Amino acid sequence: MAAKDLFIAPVSTKADRSAFVDLAYRLNASDPNWVPPLRMEALELVTPGKNPFFDHADVQLFLARRGGAVVGRISAHIDRLAVAQPAEQGMGPGTGNWGLLEAEDEGVARALIAQAEDWLRAQGMTRVLAPLSMSVWEEPGQLTKGFDHPPTVMMGHQPQRYQRYIEALGYAPAKLLKTYELDITRDFPPLIQRIVQSGEKNPKIRIRKVDKSRFDEEAALILHILNDAWSDNWGFVPFTDREIAYAGKKFKPIVREDLIMVAEYEGAPVAFMMTLPDLNEVLKPMGGSLFPLGWVKLLAWLRRPKVRTMRVPLMGVVKQYQSSRLASQLAFMMIETIRRAALANYGASRGEIGWILDDNQGMNAIAEAIDSHVNKEYTIYDKSL
């Protein structure tokens, strides 16, 4: 059908919202590397009142239809916390976003992106950074390298053709996000081992596990370090108290005390590293549903997770120490401590670190020093409106 047969309308009903979510499962069903999220979580992501992102963002979802059939979707949104950030850090005044793009073909994608741009202009935005689905803390960027293997937990996977669609509309790369893969069955290089051993002998340094019995307190501590450590990073948007509570509730079932470390220096917490067993390995066969027997398998896995891959989604060192040798030493010590636990307690053989900004020299150097290599890249694009 011609483009004139395409009808795009805002999502306005519960049925529309369900159709918005369901489309991703249909369009990606034939991709062997797409991991279907649990449908209830996918629906929660785009539902005001459930996802605290809506507390500080204006969001409009759109559906594209042909002949009554849903053939595409997109979200357009303005994160008021992002707009309030300094422009030199990537976001800033006048910057809106779109994300959650799914389209049957290029014509649908072009029409949806144009619709999102029009909506952003009408709200006074002069620039767009995209795709962000929906916050920078969720699934930022379009996959541009690593289409040949599934993503780990909390990472996105989009068809390669979307990259062509986006770039054909005048979008230019603004930032590259990288993930690093490493074989955790191998010891780290001798130099790194010596750095770790030196730190283990230093009485001023303590690497400790989180205490799950004080979960809320530990989660608040980690998010406090994160907000400080990342506050000067490109694209940074601070977590709100509601988002901290929401993230804690969401992560709690897969949090393992021996996989999340807090580094203390002279008695003060100054760094952390969060590692998660790759939940995607158990979710992928479920097709997005816990029924009829998926919930049994998931509960069994949560009681005693065994995985091939561990992912490090978040780590940070407070700004006070970021330019010091202590920062890298603490990072290596936490990585090594978690590596040992992952091997001994979970049967893991592979690790993934990221995402990491392409210009984050410190973190890229740490990843390279432990013989890891880039396995996926995600691009966030920029365009003036």
Side-chain angles (χ1 to χ4, degrees):
M1 293 185 183
K4 63 183 176 62
D5 298 308
L6 194 67
F7 177 70
I8 297 176
V11 166
S12 58
T13 67
K14 185 176 180 180
D16 284 346
R17 204 175 303 277
S18 291
F20 187 96
V21 169
D22 291 344
L23 180 66
Y25 297 86
R26 178 170 68 82
L27 293 188
N28 294 292
S30 62
D31 186 340
N33 294 312
W34 186 69
V35 179
L38 291 177
R39 190 182 183 283
M40 59 185 181
E41 291 197 351
L43 190 58
E44 189 174 277
L45 174 69
V46 296
T47 302
K50 293 190 175 181
N51 181 354
F53 176 71
F54 285 83
D55 294 351
H56 54 84
D58 302 314
V59 180
Q60 182 60 66
L61 308 178
F62 293 97
L63 281 175
R65 289 182 170 90
R66 274 188 183 135
V70 176
V71 294
R73 74 177 200 186
I74 200 168
S75 65
H77 42 277
I78 301 164
D79 184 343
R80 294 187 295 277
L81 294 180
V83 169
Q85 298 305 304
E88 60 269 20
Q89 283 186 229
M91 299 290 188
T95 301
N97 314 109
W98 58 256
L100 297 172
L101 175 68
E102 296 288 354
E104 281 196 352
D105 56 49
E106 185 170 6
V108 174
R110 292 175 71 93
L112 283 166
I113 292 171
Q115 181 70 62
E117 292 172 351
D118 287 345
W119 185 87
L120 291 170
R121 285 191 200 94
Q123 309 304 311
M125 298 296 101
T126 57
R127 172 177 177 253
V128 59
L129 281 177
L132 294 181
S133 301
M134 287 186 290
S135 160
V136 71
W137 296 110
E138 288 161 334
E139 291 185 6
Q142 160 67 36
L143 182 66
T144 49
K145 175 183 177 178
F147 297 94
D148 59 343
H149 58 284
T152 53
V153 60
M154 296 170 56
M155 294 299 293
H157 181 88
Q158 303 86 20
Q160 191 167 9
R161 59 192 174 92
Y162 289 1
Q163 179 183 356
R164 300 195 306 272
Y165 300 168
I166 293 167
E167 292 176 357
L169 291 172
Y171 282 81
K175 189 61 63 174
L176 189 66
L177 316 178
K178 302 189 289 188
T179 64
Y180 284 85
E181 178 180 30
L182 69 154
D183 179 356
I184 64 172
T185 66
R186 298 171 53 196
D187 289 338
F188 291 149
L191 174 61
I192 306 305
Q193 293 185 49
R194 289 196 294 271
I195 292 172
V196 170
Q197 291 163 5
S198 172
E200 291 172 339
K201 296 174 184 176
N202 187 340
K204 295 181 179 181
I205 296 175
R206 178 191 178 208
I207 306 296
R208 68 168 178 86
K209 300 185 291 187
V210 296
D211 183 351
K212 204 170 178 179
S213 69
R214 299 187 296 117
F215 185 83
D216 291 343
E217 181 182 341
E218 294 281 60
L221 169 65
I222 285 172
L223 271 297
H224 172 76
I225 295 174
L226 179 67
N227 276 338
D228 178 77
W230 285 50
S231 59
D232 293 335
N233 283 6
W234 186 95
F236 172 77
V237 179
F239 274 96
T240 66
D241 290 342
R242 278 239 311 144
E243 285 173 319
I244 291 172
Y246 178 76
K249 181 180 178 181
K250 189 173 181 179
F251 288 143
K252 192 170 184 177
I254 58 173
V255 163
R256 293 295 180 272
E257 291 181 332
D258 55 352
L259 297 177
I260 302 180
M261 296 293 143
V262 173
E264 298 176 352
Y265 184 68
E266 296 184 331
V270 297
F272 80 95
M273 180 174 293
M274 173 186 288
T275 304
L276 300 174
D278 185 17
L279 182 62
N280 278 3
E281 291 180 16
V282 69
L283 289 183
K284 194 172 187 298
M286 295 182 186
S289 175
L290 291 178
F291 298 98
L293 297 176
W295 64 275
V296 176
K297 296 177 182 178
L298 181 59
L299 287 175
W301 183 86
L302 288 172
R303 282 196 293 269
R304 195 171 184 180
K306 292 292 182 181
V307 292
R308 173 174 173 257
T309 301
M310 292 286 178
R311 182 188 170 214
V312 180
L314 294 172
M315 68 172 295
V317 179
V318 295
K319 284 193 290 186
Q320 178 183 354
Y321 295 111
Q322 282 180 0
S323 299
S324 69
R325 284 182 293 181
L326 178 66
S328 58
Q329 183 172 41
L330 295 178
F332 290 135
M333 292 176 72
M334 290 187 290
I335 293 171
E336 174 61 7
T337 303
I338 292 170
R339 185 187 75 87
R340 294 169 186 166
L343 283 171
N345 302 331
Y346 303 93
S349 60
R350 175 181 178 268
E352 186 175 285
I353 302 173
W355 48 267
I356 298 173
L357 294 168
D358 61 339
D359 56 358
N360 186 334
Q361 296 179 356
M363 276 305 306
N364 284 296
I366 287 170
E368 291 165 4
I370 56 175
D371 289 342
S372 59
H373 65 275
V374 175
N375 68 310
K376 285 185 181 288
E377 293 179 348
Y378 297 81
T379 301
I380 298 176
Y381 292 91
D382 184 9
K383 183 181 178 181
S384 296
L385 293 176

